């Protein structure tokens, strides 16, 4: 009986201890209720919560931030994925209430982007953001074909997907290529090469109206409606450059700068290679080589590529 009473006593003490701790613990969800942030829409460009926008659109954040108890010295505007916020110094007339307009241009990337505005005190301590977030959905102005596997041509069965349409991302073989000539932009092939006594291959590409045709193992002389796509010289080590093509406008600028004029690339493509292209419709795009797979005997050799092209 005495042992049972001791156990009950321990349980009661533990309950009192944890209850006391719970009362003393600060709740992160109501720590910053003193600061309020409101967004208005006096301008037609203003956004107060969520909005779909197009690349190149202007967006205004018309904000009022209030801190009735603690003086504010800085207002911070933070964009998702940014390393640090933009800071706006507040003067003596704005210690308790500050208003402003943040003018944004949606030209850096597509997809969801969120913004928060918060206040700092004199010591740079976070005061709160009113638990408010503005979210913009920047609608894509380019198409992205990811991880397309383009195979080296097979001259026996002729069913390997060695052709690609850059406008719809579809792959084609020699067997079904003739009926889809008006969609195909590129074909790939390889040629043997010896460098420093080591045998290897150059992986090249061409458009179907190239003259002379650099790849002759396939007879495409009877194919009609060949697309007059143009290619630019490839560059290597372009992973970051391809990743940073986040809008169609950026693809357009980079594509124009590259000046696509070629009908084939015969200097070889390697992982990390990128070249720009121009379709007959006047759309610029970027072709990036992720990898070259040559160790799978059952599937054959293929280039794994990504393609971005203007809408």
């Amino acid at each position: 009986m005495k042992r049972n009473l001791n156990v009950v006593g321990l349980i009661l003490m533990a309950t009192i201890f944890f209850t006391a701790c719970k009362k003393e613990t600060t709740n992160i969800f109501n720590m910053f209720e003193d600061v309020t942030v409101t967004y208005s829409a006096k301008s037609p460009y203003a956004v107060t919560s969520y909005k779909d926008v197009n690349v190149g659109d202007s967006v205004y954040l018309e904000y009022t931030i209030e801190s009735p108890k603690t003086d504010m010295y800085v207002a911070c505007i933070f964009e998702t994925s940014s390393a640090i916020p933009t800071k706006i110094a507040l003067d003596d007339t704005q210690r308790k209430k500050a208003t402003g307009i943040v003018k944004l241009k949606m030209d850096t990337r597509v997809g969801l982007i969120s913004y928060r505005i918060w206040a700092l005190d004199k010591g740079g301590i976070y005061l709160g953001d009113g638990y408010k977030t503005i979210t913009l959905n920047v609608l894509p102005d380019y198409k992205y074909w990811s991880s397309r596997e383009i195979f080296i041509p097979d001259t026996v069965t002729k069913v390997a997907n060695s052709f690609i349409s850059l406008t719809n991302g579809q792959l084609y073989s020699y067997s079904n290529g003739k009926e889809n000539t008006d969609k195909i932009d590129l074909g790939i092939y390889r040629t043997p090469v010896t460098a420093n006594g080591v045998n290897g291959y150059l992986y090249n590409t061409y458009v179907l109206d190239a003259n002379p045709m650099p790849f002759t193992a396939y007879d495409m002389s009877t194919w009609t409606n060949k697309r007059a796509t143009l290619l630019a010289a490839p560059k290597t080590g372009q992973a970051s450059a391809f990743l940073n093509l986040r809008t169609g406008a950026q693809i357009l600028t980079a594509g124009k700068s590259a000046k696509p004029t070629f009908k084939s690339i015969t200097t070889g493509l390697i992982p990390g290679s990128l070249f720009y292209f121009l379709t007959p419709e006047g759309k610029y795009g970027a072709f990036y080589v992720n990898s070259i797979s040559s160790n799978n005997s059952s599937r054959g050799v293929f280039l794994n590529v990504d393609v971005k092209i203007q809408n």
Side-chain angles (χ1 to χ4, degrees):
M1 185 67 177
K2 182 178 181 181
R3 182 180 178 184
N4 290 340
L5 289 173
N6 288 337
V7 172
V8 171
L10 289 172
I11 293 173
L12 288 173
M13 289 177 64
T15 302
I16 292 170
F17 174 78
F18 286 115
T19 301
C21 290
K22 183 177 180 181
K23 289 180 179 178
E24 294 174 0
T25 300
T26 303
N27 186 342
I28 188 66
F29 295 106
N30 57 26
M31 283 178 64
F32 308 105
E33 289 184 340
D34 291 340
V35 172
T36 60
V37 178
T38 56
Y39 294 96
S40 59
K42 299 174 184 177
S43 165
Y45 301 119
V47 177
T48 59
S49 57
Y50 173 94
K51 187 177 182 180
D52 291 333
V53 297
N54 295 311
V55 173
D57 281 358
S58 293
V59 171
Y60 291 0
L61 306 183
E62 302 174 350
Y63 68 90
T64 298
I65 185 166
E66 297 181 73
S67 177
K69 294 183 179 180
T70 306
D71 285 353
M72 302 181 296
Y73 281 77
V74 175
C76 296
I77 294 86
F78 182 75
E79 176 186 318
T80 50
S81 78
S82 297
I84 57 176
T86 299
K87 294 183 177 180
I88 301 174
L90 304 178
D91 60 33
D92 290 339
T93 66
Q94 300 171 301
R95 296 296 178 231
K96 294 295 191 292
K97 181 178 180 180
T99 61
I101 300 177
V102 180
K103 297 182 179 181
L104 306 168
K105 191 76 170 178
M106 299 293 101
D107 57 1
T108 59
R109 58 193 171 101
V110 300
L112 293 176
I113 307 176
S114 294
Y115 294 89
R116 294 166 54 213
I117 297 178
W118 64 72
L120 303 178
D121 68 8
K122 188 175 183 179
I125 304 301
Y126 176 84
L127 295 176
D129 64 358
Y131 302 101
K132 294 286 186 67
T133 300
I134 299 291
T135 300
L136 305 172
N137 181 26
V138 186
L139 301 175
D141 64 341
Y142 71 93
K143 299 171 185 175
Y144 185 9
W145 318 123
S146 177
S147 296
R148 295 301 193 261
E149 296 178 350
I150 314 177
F151 284 79
I152 296 302
D154 64 312
T155 56
V156 179
T157 60
K158 300 180 179 180
V159 294
N161 286 328
S162 57
F163 300 101
I164 184 172
S165 166
L166 300 175
T167 56
N168 65 22
Q170 295 299 308
L171 301 171
Y172 302 94
S173 68
Y174 181 80
S175 297
N176 61 21
K178 185 174 183 178
E179 62 198 68
N180 292 288
T181 311
D182 61 337
K183 302 182 185 70
I184 294 172
D185 290 282
L186 299 177
I188 69 164
Y189 69 102
R190 69 179 183 180
T191 58
V193 64
T194 301
N196 300 321
V198 179
N199 296 326
Y201 293 95
L202 285 179
Y203 296 89
N204 297 321
T205 188
Y206 62 96
V207 300
L208 298 192
D209 71 336
N211 186 20
M213 177 66 69
F215 178 68
T216 57
Y218 284 165
D219 180 10
M220 292 174 277
S221 59
T222 60
W223 292 20
T224 58
N225 300 318
K226 296 177 180 178
R227 290 174 59 76
T229 302
L230 297 173
L231 315 177
K235 295 182 179 180
T236 57
Q238 297 295 297
S240 294
F242 186 78
L243 178 65
N244 288 327
L245 294 172
R246 294 190 172 100
T247 69
Q250 293 170 349
I251 295 170
L252 171 64
T253 299
K256 282 186 173 181
S257 178
K259 297 180 174 61
T261 56
F262 302 133
K263 290 295 183 178
S264 64
I265 293 173
T266 58
T267 54
L269 299 172
I270 63 174
S273 290
L274 179 151
F275 64 84
Y276 293 94
F277 59 85
L278 176 62
T279 70
E281 296 81 17
K283 301 295 184 180
Y284 285 91
F287 184 103
Y288 178 76
V289 180
N290 296 306
S291 62
I292 299 176
S293 176
S294 58
N295 57 3
N296 190 326
S297 58
S298 63
R299 297 191 64 202
V301 180
F302 61 87
L303 275 64
N304 183 295
V305 307
D306 284 1
V307 176
K308 294 179 181 178
I309 182 173
Q310 294 176 276
N311 277 344

